[in-house]
Amino acid sequence: MSDFLTLVGARIKQLRVQKGLSQARLAELAELQDSYIGGVERGSRNISLNSLEKIMSALGADPVEALKFGKLDEVVDLSEEAAKQDLLEIHLSLLQERSLPEIKLVHRMMKDMFDTFDRKEERES
């Protein structure tokens, strides 16, 4: 799976969640299989332009919206737990394409960052 497919899938998922649709309902509206929608959202399916058009039409959005990756950082009006889960899935899909040394580096950086946050909180308490 490529970074590009992962980003397109994450953006489609974000738009689907914003519309309050399940994968099954989106698949029904787009006349596609729900397992296909799941694969697209995970970035594991190589989506065709025809399928992208069907999905975006079912979402009531222009196909170009699937390519607006900058909007992935926007938190949609979800419960905090749903928004957290959505962001975790996006991060996981981005890491899946990386090598083990890169993943370990990201892990160490995150750990260091969280340690810094925790120490700062302790000093402010």
Side-chain angles (χ1 to χ4, degrees), residues 115-125:
D115 287 345
T116 301
F117 292 157
D118 292 343
R119 283 193 303 272
K120 182 180 177 189
E121 257 183 34
E122 287 172 6
R123 284 193 306 262
E124 292 176 356
S125 297

Side-chain angles (χ1 to χ4, degrees), residues 7-119:
L7 290 170
V8 169
R11 182 69 176 129
I12 287 171
K13 179 178 181 178
Q14 183 183 46
L15 293 168
R16 175 183 60 78
V17 170
Q18 284 176 343
K19 296 283 185 178
L21 298 174
S22 66
Q23 286 181 350
R25 181 65 180 140
L26 176 58
E28 182 181 314
L29 292 170
E31 299 178 349
L32 297 166
Q33 296 293 317
D34 55 343
S35 61
Y36 179 78
I37 298 293
V40 166
E41 288 184 356
R42 288 187 303 278
S44 62
R45 295 295 301 258
N46 190 5
I47 187 170
S48 71
L49 292 176
N50 288 335
S51 294
L52 179 63
E53 182 179 32
K54 286 180 177 183
I55 290 169
M56 297 309 288
S57 177
L59 290 169
D62 290 326
V64 72
E65 285 295 316
L67 305 177
K68 292 185 177 178
F69 307 134
K71 294 192 174 193
L72 285 172
D73 292 332
E74 295 176 9
V75 177
V76 295
D77 191 18
L78 300 173
S79 71
E80 185 173 334
E81 190 57 36
K84 181 179 174 181
Q85 192 61 39
D86 198 37
L87 286 172
L88 286 171
E89 288 178 18
I90 291 169
H91 284 272
L92 178 61
S93 64
L94 290 171
L95 287 170
Q96 286 175 332
E97 277 296 299
R98 298 299 178 176
S99 68
L100 183 57
E102 289 174 321
I103 293 170
K104 285 181 176 181
L105 175 63
V106 169
H107 174 76
R108 282 192 307 272
M109 290 169 48
M110 287 178 57
K111 214 170 168 246
D112 290 346
M113 186 175 59
F114 291 141
D115 287 345
T116 301
F117 292 157
D118 292 343
R119 283 193 303 272

